[in-house]
PDB file of all heavy atoms in Angstrom:
ATOM      1  N   GLY A 292      46.116  16.941  34.270  1.00 98.00           N
ATOM      2  CA  GLY A 292      46.122  15.519  34.633  1.00 98.00           C
ATOM      3  C   GLY A 292      44.992  14.769  33.943  1.00 98.00           C
ATOM      4  O   GLY A 292      44.127  15.362  33.307  1.00 98.00           O
ATOM      5  N   MET A 293      45.046  13.429  34.116  1.00 98.00           N
ATOM      6  CA  MET A 293      44.061  12.573  33.453  1.00 98.00           C
ATOM      7  C   MET A 293      42.907  12.241  34.393  1.00 98.00           C
ATOM      8  O   MET A 293      43.119  11.895  35.549  1.00 98.00           O
ATOM      9  CB  MET A 293      44.740  11.272  32.991  1.00 98.00           C
ATOM     10  CG  MET A 293      45.752  11.479  31.873  1.00 98.00           C
ATOM     11  SD  MET A 293      44.982  11.885  30.285  1.00 98.00           S
ATOM     12  CE  MET A 293      45.383  13.623  30.131  1.00 98.00           C
ATOM     13  N   VAL A 294      41.682  12.351  33.867  1.00 98.00           N
ATOM     14  CA  VAL A 294      40.493  11.959  34.619  1.00 98.00           C
ATOM     15  C   VAL A 294      40.188  10.503  34.277  1.00 98.00           C
ATOM     16  O   VAL A 294      40.177  10.109  33.108  1.00 98.00           O
ATOM     17  CB  VAL A 294      39.288  12.833  34.242  1.00 98.00           C
ATOM     18  CG1 VAL A 294      38.047  12.415  35.021  1.00 98.00           C
ATOM     19  CG2 VAL A 294      39.609  14.310  34.511  1.00 98.00           C
ATOM     20  N   ALA A 295      40.025   9.704  35.322  1.00 97.00           N
ATOM     21  CA  ALA A 295      39.762   8.271  35.117  1.00 97.00           C
ATOM     22  C   ALA A 295      38.316   7.971  35.468  1.00 97.00           C
ATOM     23  O   ALA A 295      37.629   8.767  36.116  1.00 97.00           O
ATOM     24  CB  ALA A 295      40.694   7.449  36.013  1.00 97.00           C
ATOM     25  N   TYR A 296      37.884   6.793  35.016  1.00 96.00           N
ATOM     26  CA  TYR A 296      36.554   6.304  35.393  1.00 96.00           C
ATOM     27  C   TYR A 296      36.618   4.778  35.404  1.00 96.00           C
ATOM     28  O   TYR A 296      37.191   4.190  34.477  1.00 96.00           O
ATOM     29  CB  TYR A 296      35.499   6.790  34.391  1.00 96.00           C
ATOM     30  CG  TYR A 296      34.083   6.456  34.787  1.00 96.00           C
ATOM     31  CD1 TYR A 296      33.579   6.839  36.022  1.00 96.00           C
ATOM     32  CD2 TYR A 296      33.252   5.741  33.921  1.00 96.00           C
ATOM     33  CE1 TYR A 296      32.270   6.537  36.391  1.00 96.00           C
ATOM     34  CE2 TYR A 296      31.952   5.431  34.276  1.00 96.00           C
ATOM     35  CZ  TYR A 296      31.466   5.841  35.514  1.00 96.00           C
ATOM     36  OH  TYR A 296      30.182   5.539  35.863  1.00 96.00           O
ATOM     37  N   GLN A 297      36.096   4.199  36.455  1.00 93.00           N
ATOM     38  CA  GLN A 297      36.142   2.736  36.597  1.00 93.00           C
ATOM     39  C   GLN A 297      37.592   2.234  36.485  1.00 93.00           C
ATOM     40  O   GLN A 297      37.884   1.253  35.813  1.00 93.00           O
ATOM     41  CB  GLN A 297      35.245   2.084  35.532  1.00 93.00           C
ATOM     42  CG  GLN A 297      33.768   2.413  35.784  1.00 93.00           C
ATOM     43  CD  GLN A 297      32.888   2.158  34.561  1.00 93.00           C
ATOM     44  OE1 GLN A 297      33.405   1.983  33.459  1.00 93.00           O
ATOM     45  NE2 GLN A 297      31.591   2.147  34.767  1.00 93.00           N
ATOM     46  N   GLY A 298      38.498   3.001  37.077  1.00 93.00           N
ATOM     47  CA  GLY A 298      39.871   2.508  37.251  1.00 93.00           C
ATOM     48  C   GLY A 298      40.804   2.770  36.089  1.00 93.00           C
ATOM     49  O   GLY A 298      41.990   2.504  36.144  1.00 93.00           O
ATOM     50  N   GLU A 299      40.281   3.318  34.997  1.00 94.00           N
ATOM     51  CA  GLU A 299      41.144   3.565  33.820  1.00 94.00           C
ATOM     52  C   GLU A 299      40.980   5.012  33.371  1.00 94.00           C
ATOM     53  O   GLU A 299      39.875   5.575  33.529  1.00 94.00           O
ATOM     54  CB  GLU A 299      40.672   2.692  32.648  1.00 94.00           C
ATOM     55  CG  GLU A 299      40.965   1.218  32.801  1.00 94.00           C
ATOM     56  CD  GLU A 299      42.390   0.887  32.382  1.00 94.00           C
ATOM     57  OE1 GLU A 299      42.987   1.666  31.615  1.00 94.00           O
ATOM     58  OE2 GLU A 299      42.922  -0.118  32.861  1.00 94.00           O
ATOM     59  N   LYS A 300      41.996   5.565  32.758  1.00 93.00           N
ATOM     60  CA  LYS A 300      41.877   6.902  32.159  1.00 93.00           C
ATOM     61  C   LYS A 300      40.669   6.879  31.225  1.00 93.00           C
ATOM     62  O   LYS A 300      40.503   5.959  30.419  1.00 93.00           O
ATOM     63  CB  LYS A 300      43.158   7.186  31.362  1.00 93.00           C
ATOM     64  CG  LYS A 300      43.028   8.346  30.394  1.00 93.00           C
ATOM     65  CD  LYS A 300      44.186   8.403  29.397  1.00 93.00           C
ATOM     66  CE  LYS A 300      43.772   9.270  28.212  1.00 93.00           C
ATOM     67  NZ  LYS A 300      44.561   9.103  27.026  1.00 93.00           N
ATOM     68  N   MET A 301      39.801   7.897  31.379  1.00 95.00           N
ATOM     69  CA  MET A 301      38.623   7.995  30.515  1.00 95.00           C
ATOM     70  C   MET A 301      39.144   8.168  29.091  1.00 95.00           C
ATOM     71  O   MET A 301      39.928   9.070  28.824  1.00 95.00           O
ATOM     72  CB  MET A 301      37.805   9.239  30.903  1.00 95.00           C
ATOM     73  CG  MET A 301      36.332   9.001  31.036  1.00 95.00           C
ATOM     74  SD  MET A 301      35.476  10.519  31.469  1.00 95.00           S
ATOM     75  CE  MET A 301      35.322  10.282  33.228  1.00 95.00           C
ATOM     76  N   SER A 302      38.721   7.265  28.186  1.00 90.00           N
ATOM     77  CA  SER A 302      39.220   7.446  26.822  1.00 90.00           C
ATOM     78  C   SER A 302      38.265   6.869  25.788  1.00 90.00           C
ATOM     79  O   SER A 302      37.635   5.825  26.023  1.00 90.00           O
ATOM     80  CB  SER A 302      40.611   6.815  26.688  1.00 90.00           C
ATOM     81  OG  SER A 302      40.545   5.590  26.002  1.00 90.00           O
ATOM     82  N   LYS A 303      38.177   7.561  24.691  1.00 83.00           N
ATOM     83  CA  LYS A 303      37.232   7.172  23.633  1.00 83.00           C
ATOM     84  C   LYS A 303      37.540   5.760  23.165  1.00 83.00           C
ATOM     85  O   LYS A 303      36.661   4.983  22.858  1.00 83.00           O
ATOM     86  CB  LYS A 303      37.326   8.166  22.471  1.00 83.00           C
ATOM     87  CG  LYS A 303      36.994   9.599  22.863  1.00 83.00           C
ATOM     88  CD  LYS A 303      36.905  10.518  21.664  1.00 83.00           C
ATOM     89  CE  LYS A 303      38.236  10.859  21.064  1.00 83.00           C
ATOM     90  NZ  LYS A 303      38.907  12.007  21.713  1.00 83.00           N
ATOM     91  N   SER A 304      38.843   5.439  23.114  1.00 83.00           N
ATOM     92  CA  SER A 304      39.166   4.103  22.596  1.00 83.00           C
ATOM     93  C   SER A 304      38.723   3.026  23.604  1.00 83.00           C
ATOM     94  O   SER A 304      38.302   1.947  23.206  1.00 83.00           O
ATOM     95  CB  SER A 304      40.669   4.000  22.321  1.00 83.00           C
ATOM     96  OG  SER A 304      41.390   4.557  23.396  1.00 83.00           O
ATOM     97  N   LEU A 305      38.784   3.319  24.916  1.00 88.00           N
ATOM     98  CA  LEU A 305      38.335   2.320  25.910  1.00 88.00           C
ATOM     99  C   LEU A 305      36.809   2.341  26.030  1.00 88.00           C
ATOM    100  O   LEU A 305      36.188   1.352  26.400  1.00 88.00           O
ATOM    101  CB  LEU A 305      38.946   2.625  27.282  1.00 88.00           C
ATOM    102  CG  LEU A 305      40.439   2.320  27.447  1.00 88.00           C
ATOM    103  CD1 LEU A 305      40.932   2.789  28.816  1.00 88.00           C
ATOM    104  CD2 LEU A 305      40.703   0.830  27.286  1.00 88.00           C
TER     105      LEU A 305
END
Side-chain angles (χ1 to χ4, degrees):
M293 292 289 107
V294 180
Y296 186 55
Q297 293 163 346
E299 288 277 338
K300 164 193 162 198
M301 227 181 262
S302 104
K303 300 188 286 275
S304 44
L305 287 175

